[in-house]
Amino acid sequence: MDKIYLKKIILSYNDICNLLTELLNNKKFHNRLKKENTTCYTNFKYPLNSYCIGNGEKHVVIFSNTHGCEIITPFFVLEFILTLILNDEIYCNFSKKYTFHFIPLLNPEGYIISSSQVYYNLKNFDKKSIQKISKIYLDSYNLDDKIASKNIKKEKLYKSILATSCNLIENKNMIYSVNKILKNCNLNSSILPVWSANGVGIDPNSNSIHKFPEMIDLRKKWKYSKLRYNDIPVTIPSPMSYPGKKSLDPLCPENIFLYKYINNLYFNLPKFNQKLIAIFSYHSTGGEIYGYPDKCIASKNNIELHNKAIDIYSKKTNYTPIDENLKYGVMDFYRAYLNNVVSLTIELSKLNGNPIGPFANLDSLFEEFINNKKAILSVISNI
Ligand SMILES: [Zn+2]
């Protein structure tokens, strides 16, 4: 529990797929990690894969990489998977009581677009060099925020740190789509490292399920993303925050997949003994916890349950619980409408600056990962 198992820090899409395949095929862990049937694919035909560990009555969903550029989140989920299957004691303790379901890459297209840029720049770097360039990136990024907060519009400093190109994306159809989006948004390839959306420019987190008209209104008021991203449009397909044309937009298969996946666990498990108890969604900015359900929708029990879970999670991680005014996002739907299912959105990393800012201090990032692993197990053991 108190260590980090992954040796490689900068993971390409293929690295993640290969690691999971290796764990599935390795006879030692063969029966520990299982792949679930893939039924959904992204617009550019990448599989939306899910995996599970354990066969207990209480079901827990852990997913990451809703936003492509949040590359530390699949790293964390892989770490959690490795922690469970490589430790006999932890595995035996938790696999009998719980069934863990994992979606390490909810947005493989976004991951490929962002991580291919990072991979190209950092793939041969050692730990020290990764931290060094990440610190420069983080400092530029923070300075961009400062400048933008004074309402000054100028070319962003973070864009000059990494070499970028659409041709690093290994999929011709996706390159075509990304190029088209960049052109329509009046942007160039320097924006690719912060790409959050899917390959057709829809942000799966903004594709609100229950408050889509409100989300559209909100985006109209914004027009552009905030602060350092104030050159990125949000009302047309773009690198971030565009919600799509309608709720569960067919061009956002990532969100439809998640909806079906969670509904299936909530409604279709054998009622007499199986139950979905928690959902953890991982993002990566600022060390925050979003988990207070909308008081107008959620039952009193559900609100109390979430309060308790947030309390436990924040004690273990020292992350800050945020009770935001606007609860329009995709996870807000689950935490308000699924009764007695703790649904938390966790912003990993007290640093910001996706995709590589969080790597500026690897020791503290890894310490946070270890605390988050403990926080998940503590929440599910105490609710
Ligand atoms: Zn995010």
Side-chain angles (χ1 to χ4, degrees), residues 65-70 73 196 203 205 281-285 345-347 354:
N65 195 236
T66 303
H67 291 138
C69 66
E70 298 178 358
T73 64
S196 301
D203 169 9
N205 198 47
S281 165
Y282 284 91
H283 289 249
S284 70
T285 301
T345 302
I346 309 297
E347 296 279 357
N354 289 311

Side-chain angles (χ1 to χ4, degrees), residues 276-293:
L276 174 64
I277 62 156
I279 305 169
F280 297 90
S281 165
Y282 284 91
H283 289 249
S284 70
T285 301
E288 293 169 342
I289 305 167
Y290 293 82
Y292 295 108

Side-chain angles (χ1 to χ4, degrees), residues 93-374:
N93 274 345
F94 285 91
S95 65
K96 287 191 200 97
K97 226 170 158 187
Y98 303 93
T99 305
F100 295 93
H101 301 267
F102 300 98
I103 307 166
L105 290 170
L106 181 64
N107 179 5
E109 294 174 358
Y111 189 83
I112 290 168
I113 295 167
S114 170
S115 70
S116 57
Q117 315 299 316
V118 175
Y119 192 76
Y120 175 74
N121 285 272
L122 275 66
K123 62 177 184 289
N124 296 322
F125 283 14
D126 60 11
K127 218 174 143 183
K128 207 174 150 196
S129 309
I130 291 173
Q131 292 186 106
K132 196 176 162 199
I133 192 169
S134 302
K135 177 80 170 66
I136 296 169
Y137 184 89
L138 179 66
D139 290 344
S140 314
Y141 208 89
N142 287 333
L143 199 52
D144 286 333
D145 267 359
K146 234 185 217 167
I147 295 167
S149 69
K150 289 175 189 146
N151 267 331
I152 301 165
K153 276 202 178 178
K154 69 184 241 194
E155 192 58 11
K156 308 290 175 268
L157 299 165
Y158 80 86
K159 290 183 181 176
S160 63
I161 311 297
L162 301 174
T164 59
S165 165
C166 284
N167 294 326
L168 294 168
I169 304 163
E170 286 174 359
N171 180 321
K172 286 214 165 68
N173 294 331
M174 205 147 77
I175 293 176
Y176 179 78
S177 172
V178 166
N179 263 322
K180 204 170 106 187
I181 293 166
L182 292 180
K183 201 171 162 221
N184 288 340
C185 292
N186 198 21
L187 295 165
N188 61 41
S189 75
S190 64
I191 206 88
L192 296 179
V194 300
W195 194 281
S196 301
N198 66 11
V200 298
I202 300 178
D203 169 9
N205 198 47
S206 299
N207 187 231
S208 176
I209 297 171
H210 63 310
K211 293 194 173 182
F212 192 77
E214 288 91 331
M215 181 62 88
I216 292 290
D217 277 351
L218 186 71
R219 292 298 184 258
K220 273 185 192 153
K221 275 180 216 148
W222 280 15
K223 275 193 185 142
Y224 290 92
S225 281
K226 292 180 171 171
L227 292 175
R228 71 196 82 107
Y229 301 133
N230 64 9
D231 52 347
I232 304 181
V234 297
T235 56
I236 54 172
S238 87
M240 65 177 61
S241 303
Y242 171 62
K245 284 198 172 132
K246 58 178 183 178
S247 177
L248 297 169
D249 193 317
L251 288 176
C252 193
E254 298 83 1
N255 199 20
I256 297 170
F257 161 68
L258 185 68
Y259 182 76
K260 283 187 191 161
Y261 191 82
I262 290 177
N263 269 291
N264 187 43
L265 290 171
Y266 186 67
F267 290 110
N268 296 339
L269 290 171
K271 292 227 167 14
F272 61 97
N273 62 355
Q274 309 256 325
K275 195 170 167 261
L276 174 64
I277 62 156
I279 305 169
F280 297 90
S281 165
Y282 284 91
H283 289 249
S284 70
T285 301
E288 293 169 342
I289 305 167
Y290 293 82
Y292 295 108
D294 190 329
K295 290 183 183 65
C296 302
I297 306 168
S299 68
K300 200 172 160 250
N301 275 356
N302 206 19
I303 292 168
E304 277 169 17
L305 182 73
H306 279 82
N307 287 346
K308 189 176 173 192
I310 291 167
D311 210 38
I312 297 168
Y313 207 102
S314 75
K315 278 200 180 105
K316 288 276 175 200
T317 54
N318 224 359
Y319 283 1
T320 313
I322 308 281
D323 195 1
E324 77 282 32
N325 285 331
L326 305 173
K327 298 182 195 288
Y328 299 166
V330 165
M331 278 298 286
D332 291 312
F333 170 80
Y334 299 114
R335 69 177 64 104
Y337 283 95
L338 303 188
N339 215 14
N340 298 326
V341 179
V342 166
S343 306
L344 301 185
T345 302
I346 309 297
E347 296 279 357
L348 290 171
S349 171
K350 289 178 182 168
L351 303 178
N352 60 22
N354 289 311
I356 60 170
F359 294 137
N361 186 337
L362 285 170
D363 285 345
S364 77
L365 180 67
F366 290 162
E367 198 190 313
E368 284 186 46
F369 281 0
I370 289 165
N371 291 338
N372 274 273
K373 290 195 255 185
K374 290 177 183 166

